[in-house]
Amino acid sequence: MGTIGEAVRRRRSGLRAGVAGRILDFALIAIIAAFLILLGTKVVAQGGSFFVQILTFAVANGGIYALIALGYTMVYGIIELINFAHGDVFAFGAFLSGSLLPIFGLREGGAFTPVSAVALLAVFALTMLACAFLNISIERIAYRPLRHAPRLAPLITAVGVSFFLEGALFLWKGPSNVHYPNILPNAGFELFGATIGVKDLLVIGISLILMFALGLFVQRSRLGKAMRATAQDRDAALLMGIDIDRTIAATFFIGAILAGAGGTMYGLYYNTSVFDLGFSAGLVAFTAAVFGGIGNIYGAAIGGMVIGMIRTFWDGYFDSAWTDVMIFTILILVLIFRPTGLLGMRVPEK
Amino acid sequence: MLRQFWERGPRRDPNTIAYVVLLVAAIFFPILVNVITGGNSSSIMTVAADAGVYVLLAIGLNVVVGFAGLLDLGYAAFFAIGAYTYAFLASDHMRVTPLGEPIHVSFWIVLVIAMFVAASFGVILGAPTLRLRGDYLAIVTLGFGEIVPRVFRNAAGWTSGVNGISALDIPSLPLWLQGPWSGDPFAVVPDFKIISSIGYYAIMVILVIICVILVRNLQRSRLGRAWMAVREDEVAAAAMGVNTVAVKLLAFSIGAAFSGFAGTYYAGKLSLVSPENFGFSVSITILVMVVLGGMGNIPGVITGALLVYYVIFVLLQQLPEFAVNFVTSIGLGGLVKSSGDYPGIAEFISRLKFLVFGLILVIVMLVRPQGLLPSRQREQELQKGVKEDTVIEDVNAETT
Amino acid sequence: MTVEAAAPILRVDHVTKRFGGLVAVDDVTFDVKKGEIFALIGPNGAGKTTLFNGITGIFPPTTGRVIFQDREITGAKPHQVATLGIARTFQNIRLFEYMSALDNVRLGQHCRMSAKLWDSLFKTPLERREERRVTDRAIELLKFVGIERYTHTYARNLPYGSQRRLEIARALATNPALLLLDEPAAGFTPQEKVELMGLVHKIVDNGVTVFLIEHDMKVVMGVSRRIVVLDHGEKIAEGTPEQVRNDQRVIEAYLGKQH
């Protein structure tokens, strides 16, 4: 009976639990602070221009991860499913846009004219639509029939779909890195001794615009409100006359639009892609979504930015072989110490 | 008297036939292969003994996924831990590490050590996370599964990095009797190395039989019932006095122990470990075996493991060659050569692996979610399928 | 042996439960005496089930104390509460649907079993003996509640009334000193209600204190000596059935204020 007395003593007041939570938060902050201090010494040692350069990469990288993370968080918010295939939809976006560019007359080394800008816009639009269509089909075929099945079932199909898509990309382009045409001008300007290119500005600009548009959409539009209502309480939303199937499909649609844009920008930025890009990028983006608080779109945007930046800074200043180990360690620590993330909502177990 | 009458129901095992068939097949398989190949069975027996590793892994993962309903997506991490435990403890490798001294521990002892090491990692990982929602565990295990091989790859000072560790000790039987039948005088050879593929096969079969008996005992015990109850309704199970976190932790660490055990056998047989052999696709392969065979049902899981192993490691390996012969024979020889993005029929077929995997998972979940040989409970649960969404409160929710 | 022992077995002491801004249970205090049939009634949403969840540790109270057999159990985990000797049933039956009735009741004995992992793995004599004992006891309990013909049927396939009885058998399997029944007669026909009342009396005769939530005033009046009435989370009355029946606030709560 000793254990019970002990447990009772431990849990007698909510205050204790609060203190324990505080300590864990404090530990987390201490770890982050330690990292920042370590980083700070390196930054000072290596000079300011290198730092500005890395910072630019970091923000661009963070923007791309934020776009992917949004898709994870939206789908999780509405049907509580970790859509494993989402990262592969992103990778599909990168592959598809890479193949579309030459068709639209955008070739590596060609001059970038206003016409090319329009063509690039068309590639963006087509890729985003194709990804959206793909994601909706995935939902329709693999997830919707299992909506009332035990929880494990759709999670396993999600893993299956992810493998299927990776397999399809593997068949399409093979096992090695695929070159992505470098069509953007290499021009840029100097800032504190670092070069900020058109690419950087384009990626940062487009991701900010898309995130802002998504925020407006979710807050203001009818469909956005329906999404928030469905995420909060599916049954109540149903009673209020919201078409659940349509709302869920719309969520997959929008998530994939962002992933498609992210995939295109990834290609334009890094000029390379590989069949299992979606797996690694997806895991990082999912980490970002969890970090920000899964289910919360602002959390995903911030989380994506932060994780993307941590990654780039680590790559820049430390041994990049350990980057992924560090990211996944963050994932596990966040889930253990602060499962609701930075801005997370509390979701009851279903 | 009355009790025996009542007990007959639940004690009667519908799987008895399946077990008998599997056992008979395991015994006659080597004989059959020997006859067919005319005494040259060693390469096939090697493959068969390797399949046994996956059977062990599938039985272990089944405890986690099938019995307790926890999704473990990083199962290969514990497999890696088991394999590296053997590599560290039974080779000359430690001489080149900062330790500077080689360690040679007997295979049989390492089997046990590896079980405990893997189980400890399971506890360390599971204890803080099993309080959380079910799919958070899936993510934590996935993350762990990504971390472990990378650590083995990056910590080159200890693990030789990508090159892996080779020339591990060959397992030996503790004692072996030598006698007139081998043309020698009676003697006890204390260090009888297992080198023949038949030897590995026999050991594998014995290990699998022991594991099946133990796991089956577990399934029908107090603990097995508690797992089933936790899987169905955690709140009700807790209200009936089941310590749900402890019970889930046990399932998770028993699964990890199995994986560590299989890892040691694998390393011992291959005499080589490399960080590339324990990636996400290995975890998924084992999961496919369990799901396809029938979560929760041991003979189903064994069948699933053998089937998937055959498809991936035998059929898909031979298929490219077969496809080349086939298209040539029907006059489409042009398909054999690669052109542009098209890699040629052989490579094309061998690239199908991931796609086929994904398809199997999706189709099985959609068409036959209970698997090929399901357990009775699972069959009911999943066939009826439409289990209405009931709101289950989080038992361990902190009320803040 | 009904109310001769007046010592409280359960004391609910100024218990309050808040969910965010909503006060579901508001400063409720009462005693349940050893060996009695005690009832908690009140209109829908009065906080009855929330109080049960507070006692059994599913949602610990925000403030206040729960004392069981002179031991404070506030904030103990559900399985600890069950092990200490409080068993419960659920308003919306929560059986293990895909386990047989027998297994449901055997599971109920989980916390009274001592087989360790080692015993289960190797089927030690201790484990075999214990399994036999547990099976015997389970069959006994199924007979006690009158559903032994469903021993090997999946719980989900039992008729509704038998499911409620199975839930009671499962709760009794934990060998409780106090049994909490959450609307045990919900959805029953008058005939079934009478049978249930008989079962409740039988349980009390076996030395288990019964604390039940009921919606149907008639069932409660017939079965219990003492009643507490909750309305909007507050205790509005406590006493014998006659006292409660004539209490102005109770009448208002059930029939609405007549203005």
Side-chain angles (χ1 to χ4, degrees):
Chain A
M1 294 292 123
T3 54
I4 290 160
E6 202 179 295
V8 170
R9 242 171 286 127
R10 241 189 301 127
R11 300 189 38 145
R12 183 159 296 160
S13 66
L15 193 75
R16 289 278 178 79
V19 169
R22 226 40 80 64
I23 292 170
L24 291 181
D25 281 359
F26 190 76
L28 205 62
I29 291 169
I31 293 171
I32 294 171
F35 170 71
L36 287 178
I37 291 168
L38 198 67
L39 184 68
T41 56
K42 286 257 189 180
V43 168
V44 170
Q46 306 214 10
S49 66
F50 185 68
F51 176 74
V52 176
Q53 195 69 67
I54 294 285
L55 184 66
T56 317
F57 291 158
V59 175
N61 208 358
I64 294 174
Y65 281 120
L67 288 183
I68 316 174
L70 282 166
Y72 278 107
T73 224
M74 286 169 71
V75 167
Y76 194 90
I78 206 153
I79 55 171
E80 300 201 353
L81 168 74
I82 299 163
N83 182 12
F84 267 98
H86 188 73
D88 302 298
V89 172
F90 158 81
F92 172 73
F95 273 72
L96 180 71
S97 60
S99 306
L100 282 177
L101 287 175
I103 299 174
F104 279 76
L106 293 160
R107 279 172 213 291
E108 192 156 333
F112 197 80
T113 59
V115 179
S116 353
V118 175
L120 181 60
L121 219 59
V123 170
F124 259 101
L126 265 177
T127 308
M128 285 153 85
L129 275 178
C131 285
F133 180 73
L134 175 66
N135 213 22
I136 286 189
S137 319
I138 293 171
E139 194 269 332
R140 186 73 194 77
I141 295 167
Y143 304 155
R144 194 178 295 178
L146 294 170
R147 204 172 286 162
H148 296 286
R151 224 190 149 90
L152 223 55
L155 204 56
I156 292 173
T157 36
V159 173
V161 172
S162 167
F163 254 70
F164 178 81
L165 290 180
E166 265 168 47
L169 296 179
F170 187 63
L171 267 188
W172 186 13
K173 297 277 178 172
S176 38
N177 283 325
V178 178
H179 182 68
Y180 189 101
N182 182 12
I183 55 140
L184 291 174
N186 285 322
F189 61 91
E190 291 263 316
L191 187 73
F192 303 117
T195 315
I196 307 212
V198 174
K199 280 182 181 179
D200 301 306
L201 293 178
L202 184 90
V203 168
I204 295 169
I206 293 183
S207 21
L208 287 180
I209 291 169
L210 283 173
M211 280 189 261
F212 186 69
L214 177 73
L216 269 185
F217 173 80
V218 170
Q219 285 302 324
R220 299 282 167 79
S221 77
R222 236 180 113 76
L223 197 56
K225 284 176 187 161
M227 274 176 196
R228 283 188 294 147
T230 311
Q232 265 190 15
D233 187 334
R234 200 190 300 169
D235 294 332
L238 189 66
L239 291 175
M240 292 297 130
I242 291 172
D243 183 345
I244 303 293
D245 283 346
R246 232 191 82 204
T247 311
I248 293 175
T251 309
F252 276 85
F253 186 91
I254 294 168
I257 277 192
L258 300 176
T264 312
M265 291 198 294
Y266 183 93
L268 289 172
Y269 197 71
Y270 291 104
N271 301 114
T272 179
S273 60
V274 65
F275 79 103
D276 61 357
L277 169 71
F279 177 67
S280 47
L283 266 185
V284 174
F286 182 77
T287 306
V290 170
F291 186 77
I294 186 104
N296 182 316
I297 61 166
Y298 305 103
I302 295 170
M305 213 32 131
V306 172
I307 294 289
M309 289 176 76
I310 293 179
R311 257 185 85 89
T312 318
F313 273 107
W314 189 283
D315 277 348
Y317 286 101
F318 302 99
D319 182 357
S320 65
W322 290 93
T323 307
D324 284 335
V325 172
M326 196 231 2
I327 291 289
F328 297 132
T329 309
I330 291 178
L331 175 69
I332 293 178
L333 290 178
V334 170
L335 280 175
I336 291 173
F337 291 131
R338 209 180 152 81
T340 52
L342 292 179
L343 309 174
M345 57 177 190
R346 178 147 202 105
V347 215
E349 173 109 29
K350 270 199 182 147
Chain B
M1 279 271 292
L2 188 65
R3 189 209 331 115
Q4 280 167 352
F5 172 74
W6 285 114
E7 273 190 352
R8 205 182 295 148
R11 290 281 159 128
R12 198 192 296 130
D13 194 336
N15 285 327
T16 313
I17 299 167
Y19 282 123
V20 171
V21 170
L22 285 171
L23 188 64
V24 169
I27 293 168
F28 283 98
F29 181 72
I31 300 169
L32 192 72
V33 170
N34 206 24
V35 170
I36 290 174
T37 57
N40 191 15
S41 64
S42 104
S43 67
I44 293 181
M45 292 322 294
T46 303
V47 173
D50 284 344
V53 174
Y54 278 83
V55 171
L56 277 182
L57 287 168
I59 292 173
L61 186 62
N62 179 48
V63 172
V64 186
V65 182
F67 292 173
L70 307 165
L71 188 53
D72 185 342
L73 291 176
Y75 198 58
F78 301 112
F79 187 43
I81 289 171
Y84 270 91
T85 305
Y86 187 67
F88 287 150
L89 295 183
S91 71
D92 279 336
H93 175 73
M94 275 295 162
R95 201 197 304 274
V96 298
T97 66
L99 192 71
E101 283 293 324
I103 306 176
H104 292 281
V105 182
S106 155
F107 171 76
W108 305 96
I109 295 170
V110 180
L111 269 182
V112 178
I113 295 175
M115 273 174 71
F116 280 102
V117 171
S120 315
F121 274 97
V123 171
I124 292 168
L125 192 65
T129 47
L130 284 166
R131 295 177 293 112
L132 304 171
R133 311 162 45 78
D135 39 8
Y136 276 28
L137 180 75
I139 293 307
V140 168
T141 51
L142 176 60
F144 186 64
E146 292 300 302
I147 290 175
V148 168
R150 282 183 170 83
V151 168
F152 283 133
R153 186 165 56 228
N154 292 341
W158 287 93
T159 63
S160 306
V162 280
N163 300 325
I165 304 170
S166 53
L168 312 184
D169 296 352
I170 294 166
S172 52
L173 291 170
L175 286 173
W176 194 254
L177 222 49
Q178 214 170 41
W181 51 86
S182 57
D184 301 312
F186 263 115
V188 170
V189 183
D191 200 32
F192 186 81
K193 298 261 194 269
I194 303 164
I195 36 173
S196 83
S197 52
I198 279 280
Y200 279 107
Y201 178 83
I203 287 176
M204 195 69 233
V205 170
I206 291 166
L207 287 180
V208 168
I209 290 173
I210 292 171
C211 288
V212 167
I213 291 172
L214 296 184
V215 170
R216 197 160 151 274
N217 284 348
L218 274 186
Q219 189 184 9
R220 303 151 144 254
S221 71
R222 169 182 190 242
L223 194 56
R225 271 197 302 275
W227 283 335
M228 221 189 287
V230 165
R231 206 182 68 205
E232 283 203 29
D233 188 335
E234 263 195 76
V235 174
M240 291 305 119
V242 176
N243 184 349
T244 52
V245 175
V247 160
K248 287 195 280 184
L249 192 57
L250 258 179
F252 191 66
S253 42
I254 288 172
F258 260 94
S259 198
F261 183 85
T264 296
Y265 174 88
Y266 175 81
K269 176 167 181 300
L270 212 61
S271 191
L272 170 87
V273 291
S274 146
E276 311 306 319
N277 295 342
F278 307 103
F280 184 60
S281 61
V282 176
S283 298
I284 289 297
T285 307
I286 305 163
L287 184 66
V288 173
M289 289 168 170
V290 173
V291 172
L292 184 83
M295 276 184 271
N297 193 32
I298 304 168
V301 164
I302 295 174
T303 314
L306 293 173
L307 201 69
V308 171
Y309 187 86
Y310 177 76
V311 169
I312 295 172
F313 295 98
V314 181
L315 196 65
L316 278 180
Q317 308 294 326
Q318 295 171 351
L319 213 54
E321 201 187 318
F322 175 77
V324 168
N325 293 338
F326 180 72
V327 292
T328 328
S329 69
I330 58 166
L332 291 169
L335 285 174
V336 175
K337 285 214 174 63
S338 67
S339 65
D341 274 348
Y342 177 73
I345 187 81
E347 175 65 13
F348 185 82
I349 296 287
S350 75
R351 285 180 185 182
L352 272 173
K353 183 177 146 186
F354 290 105
L355 198 119
V356 170
F357 249 37
L359 264 186
I360 292 176
L361 266 184
V362 175
I363 292 173
V364 167
M365 267 351 261
L366 291 178
V367 179
R368 200 175 162 79
Q370 69 273 33
L372 298 175
L373 289 177
S375 69
R376 282 192 297 170
Q377 281 85 6
R378 282 282 176 174
E379 187 155 40
Q380 290 258 333
E381 265 173 59
L382 291 162
Q383 263 179 358
K384 309 257 173 182
V386 191
K387 192 176 174 187
E388 279 308 314
D389 268 11
T390 46
V391 179
I392 300 169
E393 304 89 29
D394 189 347
V395 203
N396 304 293
E398 299 283 342
T399 47
T400 41
Chain C
M1 52 164 288
T2 37
V3 203
E4 100 264 4
I9 189 167
L10 178 78
R11 167 165 287 170
V12 173
D13 186 16
H14 296 286
V15 164
T16 297
K17 176 71 195 176
R18 288 192 199 89
F19 290 108
L22 177 81
V23 184
V25 174
D26 192 2
D27 197 27
V28 170
T29 300
F30 59 81
D31 284 351
V32 178
K33 298 200 173 69
K34 196 159 190 280
E36 73 172 338
I37 301 176
F38 184 84
L40 177 64
I41 65 171
N44 270 333
K48 304 181 298 269
T49 298
T50 309
L51 194 61
F52 265 25
N53 285 344
I55 295 168
T56 52
I58 290 176
F59 287 123
T62 317
T63 58
R65 300 186 309 159
V66 181
I67 294 155
F68 175 66
Q69 290 180 330
D70 299 324
R71 187 188 277 127
E72 179 167 352
I73 58 162
T74 329
K77 295 258 167 92
H79 69 91
Q80 297 169 329
V81 174
T83 312
L84 282 174
I86 302 182
R88 71 171 290 177
T89 66
F90 295 88
Q91 189 181 345
N92 48 341
I93 309 173
R94 295 181 85 151
L95 288 166
F96 306 114
E97 296 190 350
Y98 298 97
M99 288 164 69
S100 67
L102 182 68
D103 272 341
N104 266 275
V105 183
R106 287 205 283 199
L107 181 104
Q109 297 173 73
H110 182 90
C111 59
R112 304 286 170 238
M113 296 173 74
S114 53
K116 296 280 174 296
L117 179 62
W118 182 264
D119 300 306
S120 301
L121 270 175
F122 298 102
K123 278 222 172 294
T124 55
L126 181 146
E127 206 266 350
R128 285 164 195 271
R129 239 178 295 131
E130 193 173 67
E131 278 295 316
R132 250 178 271 144
R133 179 171 60 74
V134 161
T135 308
D136 288 346
R137 172 81 179 134
I139 290 162
E140 212 174 276
L141 282 166
L142 287 171
K143 280 191 188 142
F144 180 77
V145 300
I147 55 167
E148 68 273 22
R149 66 176 164 282
Y150 296 121
T151 304
H152 298 303
T153 312
Y154 279 123
R156 75 190 312 268
N157 297 334
L158 261 59
Y160 177 80
S162 304
Q163 290 197 358
R164 286 233 177 259
R165 284 168 181 272
L166 176 54
E167 235 196 347
I168 294 175
R170 186 181 66 177
L172 287 173
T174 66
N175 203 9
L178 174 66
L179 176 64
L180 310 187
L181 301 175
D182 197 342
E183 299 207 17
F188 274 16
T189 62
Q191 170 63 29
E192 285 175 320
K193 282 181 185 169
V194 171
E195 284 169 15
L196 180 84
M197 281 190 261
L199 179 60
V200 170
H201 279 295
K202 237 165 73 182
I203 293 169
V204 176
D205 288 346
N206 276 282
V208 179
T209 308
V210 173
F211 176 12
L212 57 93
I213 289 179
E214 191 43 75
H215 208 62
D216 186 334
M217 292 277 266
K218 282 206 192 84
V219 173
V220 179
M221 301 294 174
V223 79
S224 56
R225 294 281 178 85
R226 288 201 315 125
I227 295 172
V228 157
V229 189
L230 280 194
D231 184 33
H232 294 303
E234 275 179 77
K235 183 172 97 173
I236 57 169
E238 179 173 3
T240 62
E242 293 72 35
Q243 287 168 334
V244 167
R245 194 177 348 213
N246 299 322
D247 188 292
Q248 196 54 37
R249 291 184 68 188
V250 176
I251 296 169
E252 276 173 16
Y254 267 88
L255 302 173
K257 278 185 188 150
Q258 269 130 33
H259 281 296

